[in-house]
Amino acid sequence: MSAILKTENLKKDFLMGKIKVPALRGVNIEIEQGSFTAVMGASGSGKTTLLNMVGLLDAPSSGKVYVDGIDTSDLSGTQMAKMRLEKLGFIFQFFNLFLELTALENVMVPLMLAGRGDAEKRAKELLELVGLGDRLDHKPSELSGGQQQRVTIARALVNEPVLLLADEPTANLDSKTAVEVVGLFRKLNKETGVTVFMVTHEEELGRMADRIIWLRDGLIKNIGNIDKIN
């Protein structure tokens, strides 16, 4: 299978006053199309920084990120924004839903902005896919945390992304709901073929992925099955 995501000697430094603090120290990964990968590690290990780099939300200090075979270091800001819109789907720990809109309307928003004439039909299909076909007219305040995250997942899928990026997507959920949400990622990965790249600190959730990348101090400690890593 081909690599849908690849990094080469990826480094990221942050300045704290006059002190340079390395967050990533040279990370090399290849993520195969159609895979489900979990990124794990202690707080400060570089997990979210890595996701921000591969999601083109921040620029690396050095090194390269390839998305769907494209060297993103050659892209302008406008081109990167276009790639985020067309090829990437994002899910964060905060749901970022429009509180005054229904579940259906929240999913329709990006489709309407893109000028899609089938916005309502597509949004209904996606909400059915994530198990919310009977909650179309409910506003976020009328939905549980898990249901709100499902709306967010449906919205992230509207552009049929090649890569679904999830940054601690269960941090605000109870343990049972967290397992259900990651189980949904597993289902979508198997049924639709979307590649999932998920940051989590929960080992139970990491075990649900095909592969785990374990980070420590901005470096890859190990890659593989969690039982072999620990």
Side-chain angles (χ1 to χ4, degrees):
M1 298 176 69
S2 59
I4 201 72
L5 172 64
K6 180 180 177 181
T7 70
E8 290 182 351
N9 199 28
L10 195 63
K11 297 181 180 180
K12 181 64 178 181
D13 300 320
F14 293 103
L15 285 177
M16 298 186 67
K18 295 182 179 180
I19 301 174
K20 184 170 70 172
V21 179
L24 296 177
R25 302 168 181 257
V27 172
N28 297 286
I29 59 172
E30 285 195 28
I31 305 300
E32 291 184 348
Q33 185 174 4
S35 63
F36 181 3
T37 301
V39 180
M40 300 187 67
S43 178
S45 61
K47 303 187 302 296
T48 293
T49 300
L50 176 59
L51 184 137
N52 287 340
M53 298 297 105
V54 302
L56 312 182
L57 297 173
D58 197 1
S61 299
S62 63
K64 292 192 173 187
V65 175
Y66 296 85
V67 177
D68 203 14
I70 298 171
D71 182 353
T72 61
S73 62
D74 294 333
L75 302 180
S76 66
T78 300
Q79 289 171 323
M80 279 195 283
K82 186 173 186 290
M83 177 168 279
R84 286 194 299 270
L85 179 64
E86 295 180 351
K87 291 185 178 290
L88 304 177
F90 295 93
I91 300 162
F92 302 103
Q93 58 180 288
F94 300 106
F95 310 132
N96 297 322
L97 298 174
F98 296 105
L99 300 182
E100 69 278 10
L101 300 182
T102 65
L104 179 63
E105 290 166 342
N106 265 284
V107 179
M108 286 176 62
V109 166
L111 292 164
M112 293 175 68
L113 291 175
R116 289 273 296 261
D118 63 342
E120 183 173 352
K121 179 176 180 291
R122 175 66 175 155
K124 285 181 177 179
E125 290 173 349
L126 290 170
L127 286 166
E128 288 278 0
L129 183 64
V130 300
L132 289 179
D134 59 345
R135 294 289 189 272
L136 302 180
D137 297 325
H138 289 62
K139 293 183 178 180
S141 62
E142 301 170 311
L143 300 171
S144 68
Q147 289 171 334
Q148 289 183 59
Q149 192 63 296
R150 286 171 180 263
V151 175
T152 304
I153 294 168
R155 188 174 61 185
L157 293 170
V158 295
N159 59 346
E160 299 181 20
V162 298
L163 185 61
L164 192 62
L165 301 168
D167 185 13
E168 297 283 6
T170 63
N172 293 318
L173 304 175
D174 63 79
S175 57
K176 179 177 181 294
T177 305
V179 170
E180 291 174 353
V181 167
V182 178
L184 177 58
F185 289 150
R186 173 89 273 172
K187 175 177 180 287
L188 293 170
N189 168 251
K190 293 301 182 185
E191 293 184 2
T192 72
V194 66
T195 306
V196 180
F197 189 81
M198 177 184 71
V199 165
T200 183
H201 64 278
E202 297 286 348
E203 288 193 5
E204 180 182 8
L205 304 180
R207 291 177 185 274
M208 298 173 72
D210 296 325
R211 186 176 68 152
I212 294 142
I213 297 174
W214 193 275
L215 293 181
R216 176 185 287 173
D217 299 328
L219 290 168
I220 293 178
K221 174 187 173 184
N222 210 333
I223 299 178
N225 180 278
I226 196 168
D227 295 316
K228 296 179 180 178
I229 289 173
N230 286 345

